[in-house]
Amino acid sequence: MFESFSQTIWLVPLYALAGALLALPWSPGIIRQTGPRPAGYLNLIMTCWAFLHSLFALIAVWGRPPQSIAFNWLNAADLSISLDVQISAVNIGALLLITGLNLAAQVYAIAYLEMDWGWARFYSLVALFEGGMCALVICNSLFFSYCVLEVLTLGTYLLIGFWFNQSLVVTGARDAFLTKRIGDLILLMGVVALLPLAGTWNFDQLAEWAATANLNPNVANLLCLALIAGPMGKCAQFPLHLWLDEAMEGPMPATILRNTVVVSTGAWLLVKLEPVLQLSPLTLQVMIVVGSVTAIGAGLIAIAQIDVKRSLSYSVSAYMGLIFIAVATGQTETALVLLFTYAIAMSLLVMVVGNIVWNNISQDLSQYGGLWSRRPVSGICYLVGAASLVALPPFGGFWSLARMGDRLAEISGLLLLVLLLVNALTAFSVTREFCVFFGGKIKPMTLRSPEALWLLVIPMTVTMGFALHLPILLAQWHLLPSNLNLGVAFLLVLSTAGGVIPAAYIYLNENISKPIVFQPKAVQDFFANDLYTAQLYKVTIVFVVGLISQIINWIDTFLVDGIVNLVGLATVFGGQSLKYNVSGQTQFYFLSIILGVALIGIIICWPLLSQISLVFS
């Protein structure tokens, strides 16, 4: 009955792009009588249809082996490039998650951007995001996956810079674009280098090739290091992590997508490339180190932030660090389960924060308090989102982290310790945010803070329902751990308690003065300022680039331009000198030509003339 939906699954990205095109007449104000709202409603309808198409396709392919569709794109000489589409329960399930969260974010945006006249531009950019992400998850080609990631980089730049009349917004959009471009350019080198080695860009064929490939270790290391550079930028991993912090200047509905499924695009590419990455043990070690440093560092930085959106952004980087560790240790299925549970939980937290910030006009945590009596629905939703994010049974996050912890316990006790520490830091961070928002006494900023518009509350409560049903969904899909390691599970729960209890004690205790100042203060400032990474960049990378630019500018000014100017001056001088010999008499022209030829001949023959003089001497 639903077979046609699965065979036409490649239409799902086109629905979003069609919505973006339909919104264009409202973007430059061609249609003024209706206002900009129809642009949003059209995109909402197209996203809803994409969600239903994905749902029917998932019903059709459930329990069936993966299928492939290939569209021939280019044939030139010995080069053949095809657009490969994979139809499987995993791919279509990812489509369902992307379109579902986009649907929730677009409904959320109707209320959040109620007074904004940039509806058409916003919904068109969100549709570009949606179409790119949908194309990525069904694409089975590394080349076209790279092309889609480039589109997403452009979409990130445009959405972060949505309110472009603010200087911080422009800076954040620029930094996000440039930071991602660094990773993308290195990834492009790896993509181009992989084709002559493997002979294909198809992910399935790459996995078959990697199983029998015998590469030079140096070649394998360089290739795989290049392939992980792009995901490092997309997942905001150290040292390419600063962009996600600055991206918080964009609209909150876009943040819902960026903090959940957009950053996950890099992780998705990592999962698809995992068989190739196994060719380089060095790359796997780099992934573990980068993931561990980012996860622990971002968890500590999140605790020191007073801007709630920035605090959430560092928690995003921390969880993406765990994904890097999972892929490096061969846990691709666990990585996908963790991405699923994380996306639902984080989207719920961002919706709650946006709901509160919308009518309190502040992201400063120190100005909040006592909202439980004003916003009980938001408080309950935040608790469910926080519980689903960390290892707290029976919520979804516990089962994904338990699967990962069970495997890490077999590989390395140190990696298990990293997981426990990141879970504790995340539990502390989200508990701290909840206590500051909803606990304590009412402050002037929260004195009048009722629940926001119903279009903000409905997506939030529906997402909470999905978060509560995550364990049931995982059980139905046979994704729960078959043999739960009770020791690891106990340690995970203990680490959660180790984060929740201290945070609740500190931030709900009225005898402790707020804001909290940890001693020594320099340590707190160190984490609050993002490990001074921006300052480190300024005295290293920025300084070196600036110095090289100055040297090139000097060479261009004094050498290149100097030679050109010298030729020009010589020409002008020669012309000015010769004009006095112009009398209109033919013999003077012949004399000038003869003298010029003689001078050129002497210059050309000078080495020979010097040798003749030596012979005579």
Side-chain angles (χ1 to χ4, degrees):
M1 179 179 178
F2 299 117
E3 188 66 29
S4 60
F5 287 98
S6 65
Q7 295 302 313
T8 56
I9 197 64
W10 50 271
L11 288 173
V12 172
L14 300 182
Y15 295 145
L17 298 180
L21 292 176
L22 291 174
L24 289 179
W26 283 272
S27 185
I30 297 174
I31 301 176
R32 297 177 180 272
Q33 292 81 1
T34 60
R37 284 179 174 269
Y41 299 147
L42 285 172
N43 275 279
L44 199 60
I45 292 171
M46 299 307 293
T47 300
C48 185
W49 179 242
F51 177 81
L52 293 175
H53 190 142
S54 303
L55 180 61
F56 296 148
L58 183 62
I59 296 173
V61 303
W62 190 259
R64 297 185 181 181
Q67 306 174 44
S68 296
I69 301 176
F71 300 94
N72 192 28
W73 184 69
L74 176 66
N75 275 319
D78 296 331
L79 179 64
S80 178
I81 302 177
S82 61
L83 173 57
D84 302 318
V85 176
Q86 188 173 58
I87 306 172
S88 67
V90 174
N91 298 74
I92 299 178
L95 276 182
L96 205 59
L97 177 65
I98 291 169
T99 54
L101 287 178
N102 267 275
L103 185 62
Q106 290 183 30
V107 173
Y108 193 90
I110 293 175
Y112 197 89
L113 300 176
E114 180 187 24
M115 305 301 293
D116 199 304
W117 279 86
W119 268 48
R121 183 159 50 91
F122 175 80
Y123 276 95
S124 295
L125 294 176
V126 168
L128 180 66
F129 252 163
E130 179 187 344
M133 289 185 290
C134 290
L136 178 68
V137 296
I138 62 174
C139 181
N140 202 32
S141 166
L142 176 59
F143 173 75
F144 284 101
S145 294
Y146 174 80
C147 295
V148 172
L149 288 176
E150 290 295 282
V151 173
L152 292 176
T153 298
L154 174 62
T156 300
Y157 170 75
L158 295 174
L159 265 178
I160 297 173
F162 180 71
W163 290 315
F164 52 83
N165 58 333
Q166 302 176 31
S167 58
L168 286 177
V169 170
V170 174
T171 302
R174 180 201 63 197
D175 291 351
F177 183 78
L178 294 177
T179 303
K180 283 189 169 188
R181 291 300 299 140
I182 294 172
D184 290 346
L185 286 174
I186 300 174
L187 172 61
L188 178 59
M189 298 178 192
V191 171
V192 173
L194 184 59
L195 182 62
L197 295 173
T200 181
W201 276 317
N202 182 281
F203 285 122
D204 295 333
Q205 296 174 8
L206 284 175
E208 296 175 0
W209 167 79
T212 58
N214 185 21
L215 290 181
N216 180 286
N218 293 328
V219 174
N221 290 336
L222 291 174
L223 173 66
C224 295
L225 287 173
L227 292 176
I228 68 170
M232 281 177 61
K234 293 291 185 292
C235 295
Q237 298 297 285
F238 184 85
L240 304 177
H241 66 292
L242 287 180
W243 73 268
L244 189 59
D245 170 31
E246 298 182 354
M248 297 301 107
E249 300 295 338
M252 187 66 77
T255 303
I256 296 172
L257 300 176
R258 185 169 49 251
N259 278 16
T260 54
V261 286
V262 174
V263 294
S264 300
T265 56
W268 178 270
L269 185 62
L270 271 185
V271 171
K272 302 291 281 186
L273 288 173
E274 188 268 344
V276 178
L277 299 179
Q278 292 292 334
L279 294 172
S280 171
L282 173 64
T283 301
L284 299 180
Q285 292 297 320
V286 170
M287 289 174 62
I288 290 174
V289 172
V290 168
S292 301
V293 170
T294 305
I296 297 174
L300 290 168
I301 294 170
I303 294 172
Q305 301 300 308
I306 61 171
D307 185 312
V308 62
K309 290 178 69 175
R310 293 180 184 273
S311 181
L312 286 177
S313 75
Y314 285 109
S315 295
V316 172
S317 293
Y319 264 74
M320 290 301 106
L322 294 182
I323 298 295
F324 265 66
I325 296 174
V327 175
T329 54
Q331 303 182 71
T332 53
E333 185 177 298
T334 301
L336 292 175
V337 174
L338 182 57
L339 282 175
F340 174 62
T341 58
Y342 155 81
I344 298 296
M346 182 56 71
S347 63
L348 182 53
L349 292 177
V350 176
M351 287 181 192
V352 174
V353 169
N355 188 11
I356 295 172
V357 170
W358 183 77
N359 59 357
N360 286 279
I361 322 298
S362 176
Q363 298 170 193
D364 188 346
L365 282 170
S366 63
Q367 298 185 30
Y368 286 96
L371 281 178
W372 183 262
S373 60
R374 300 291 196 270
R375 293 172 172 265
V377 176
S378 297
I380 293 171
C381 289
Y382 194 96
L383 283 176
V384 173
S388 301
L389 187 65
V390 300
L392 183 64
F395 295 95
F398 167 77
W399 302 106
S400 56
L401 292 174
R403 283 182 56 141
M404 183 175 176
D406 190 9
R407 176 63 178 152
L408 292 182
E410 299 175 359
I411 298 174
S412 169
L414 187 59
L415 291 180
L416 177 61
L417 182 61
V418 170
L419 177 64
L420 296 173
L421 181 57
V422 172
N423 180 62
L425 292 172
T426 306
F428 187 98
S429 180
V430 294
T431 305
R432 162 181 168 263
E433 293 160 7
F434 174 81
C435 294
V436 172
F437 270 134
F438 300 97
K441 296 180 180 180
I442 295 175
K443 294 185 178 181
M445 183 65 73
T446 59
L447 187 60
R448 296 178 179 177
S449 182
E451 291 290 359
L453 300 176
W454 63 275
L455 284 173
L456 293 176
V457 176
I458 285 181
M460 187 174 68
T461 52
V462 171
T463 306
M464 180 186 68
F466 275 104
L468 289 172
H469 286 79
L470 280 178
I472 300 175
L473 293 174
L474 294 177
Q476 289 292 325
W477 298 338
H478 308 289
L479 294 175
L480 294 180
S482 54
N483 294 309
L484 182 63
N485 189 323
L486 295 180
V488 172
F490 174 75
L491 290 175
L492 283 169
V493 175
L494 191 63
S495 68
T496 301
V500 171
I501 295 174
Y505 174 78
I506 293 172
Y507 290 96
L508 292 179
N509 192 339
E510 296 182 3
N511 296 324
I512 300 178
S513 61
K514 310 294 190 305
I516 304 298
V517 178
F518 293 100
Q519 297 299 330
K521 184 69 166 53
V523 175
Q524 185 175 359
D525 292 339
F526 178 67
F527 290 110
N529 289 284
D530 190 10
L531 313 181
Y532 294 110
T533 307
Q535 290 81 353
L536 179 63
Y537 283 170
K538 185 175 293 185
V539 299
T540 54
I541 298 175
V542 175
F543 173 76
V544 171
V545 172
L547 182 61
I548 293 174
S549 301
Q550 290 178 354
I551 293 174
I552 293 175
N553 180 63
W554 185 89
I555 293 173
D556 183 63
T557 303
F558 295 101
L559 292 184
V560 178
D561 287 353
I563 294 173
V564 172
N565 293 336
L566 178 62
V567 172
L569 288 173
T571 303
V572 172
F573 178 77
Q576 291 293 330
S577 302
L578 290 173
K579 73 179 182 179
Y580 296 106
N581 294 329
V582 178
S583 61
Q585 298 181 6
T586 306
Q587 58 268 30
F588 284 104
Y589 289 112
F590 279 118
L591 178 62
S592 299
I593 293 172
I594 291 171
L595 290 176
V597 172
L599 180 61
I600 294 173
I602 292 172
I603 294 173
I604 294 175
C605 299
W606 182 255
L608 182 61
L609 294 175
S610 62
Q611 291 179 5
I612 293 174
S613 63
L614 289 174
V615 170
F616 281 109
S617 63

